Amino acid sequence: MSEVTVVEVPQWRGSGARTAERLREGARLVSEMVDADRRIRVEVDDDDLVVTASRVREAVSEAGWDGLLVTAGGDCGVELEPVSAARRRFGDGLVVVWFDAHGDLNTPDSSPSGAFHGMVLRALTGEGPEGLVAAGEPVGAGQIVLAGVRDLDPAEVAFVEAQGVRRVRAADAEALVEAVGAAAAAEGGEWAAVYVHVDFDVLDPQLFGSVGSPTPDGYQPDELLALVGAVAGRFEVVGLGLMEYEPAGAEDQALLASLVKELVAVCAGR
């Protein structure tokens, strides 16, 4: 059973949604939903994502990797520093499983919106805005598994195809575990330290709509939990990012409170 540290990052300026400022409250609420042994809150700079990223880097360094690191966002751009830190700590053994409706694989040149939350995964591979790219060795495309992604821009499709990024669209636990295992094997072994990123827009908006970019045909909450549980049952989950909650109703909050507790529990082996 892993010790759980939660780092709360109420960043919202990386989002392109018109309702993005709700992410401040969303980060606080998600953080409070986590059964944590230790809590760290990052003061964000609303005018400078680079400054905020440096503060997240310090917080993640303070948290260390003695157990499960849970990062509660905020927009998906928050993930730059936790995933970079995991890459430095676990090296080629790291696999990033990206549960998201979107690929977040744009560059400043290809992004339709110019919003950093749609570029962060590409930035982790080494291509991104100045000051907002992976610190140290970038994440290789072979270390990424896209899960539930169903809305890719043309430049993202080109990157996925050219780089051979693994992608599992269906709620197929066996296929996902196989993809993670293949990513680990491609980097030199069957063991993997897994960072699980969850943007809550991976869920079907008919059941959960408190996100800035709802996209049809997402996972059911129990499907998401089963997929994460399957990964955690086979590999060591070292990090869990919980992103993009924009509070918009008591029913969604009740659903999320239960889901967050269960996601943390399966990732921490509780």
Side-chain angles (χ1 to χ4, degrees):
M1 184 171 68
S2 298
E3 180 175 282
V4 175
T5 299
V6 62
V7 178
E8 175 191 341
V9 189
Q11 175 177 295
W12 61 280
R13 286 289 194 180
S15 171
R18 61 179 181 80
T19 51
E21 200 162 356
R22 293 179 184 172
L23 293 168
R24 289 179 183 273
E25 180 69 358
R28 182 185 68 79
L29 291 170
V30 170
S31 177
E32 291 176 354
M33 293 170 188
V34 176
D35 291 327
D37 301 292
R38 187 182 181 198
R39 299 181 181 276
I40 301 171
R41 186 180 188 278
V42 175
E43 294 295 331
V44 305
D45 186 326
D46 285 341
D47 298 317
D48 196 327
L49 293 177
V50 175
V51 170
T52 297
S54 70
R55 293 174 181 172
V56 177
R57 188 182 312 130
E58 292 172 3
V60 172
S61 177
E62 177 186 344
W65 290 98
D66 293 331
L68 177 68
L69 177 68
V70 179
T71 306
D75 65 69
C76 287
V78 167
E79 294 280 52
L80 179 68
E81 294 301 334
V83 179
S84 291
R87 175 69 175 92
R88 293 192 297 273
R89 172 66 177 81
F90 299 102
D92 292 341
L94 180 71
V95 176
V96 179
V97 182
W98 202 259
F99 286 96
D100 204 308
H102 310 92
D104 299 346
L105 286 165
N106 273 301
T107 66
D109 290 335
S110 72
S111 171
S113 68
F116 181 60
H117 72 164
M119 308 180 206
V120 62
L121 186 54
R122 186 68 167 268
L124 283 161
T125 72
E127 297 181 85
E130 184 176 355
L132 291 171
V133 293
E137 189 73 18
V139 175
Q143 294 175 271
I144 297 168
V145 178
L146 302 179
V149 171
R150 55 196 183 275
D151 185 7
L152 291 171
D153 295 316
E156 294 179 303
V157 172
F159 180 83
V160 167
E161 293 178 349
Q163 299 297 322
V165 176
R166 292 173 178 82
R167 184 179 178 189
V168 177
R169 171 65 184 91
D172 185 333
E174 184 178 349
L176 182 59
V177 169
E178 183 179 335
V180 176
E187 299 299 331
E190 294 186 358
W191 176 86
V194 177
Y195 189 103
V196 174
H197 159 85
V198 178
D199 179 334
F200 290 113
D201 70 13
V202 79
L203 296 172
D204 194 294
Q206 291 188 343
L207 290 174
F208 183 84
S210 294
V211 294
S213 302
T215 306
D217 301 322
Y219 291 149
Q220 307 292 303
D222 60 340
E223 290 176 330
L224 175 61
L225 181 61
L227 290 166
V228 174
V231 172
R234 174 65 178 81
F235 306 98
E236 180 184 4
V237 177
V238 296
L240 173 64
L242 302 171
M243 303 290 143
E244 301 276 354
Y245 174 42
E246 295 191 6
E251 188 172 331
D252 278 356
Q253 184 156 326
L255 182 156
L256 195 64
S258 174
L259 180 60
V260 165
K261 289 183 185 301
E262 291 176 304
L263 287 170
V264 173
V266 298
C267 289
R270 295 183 170 180

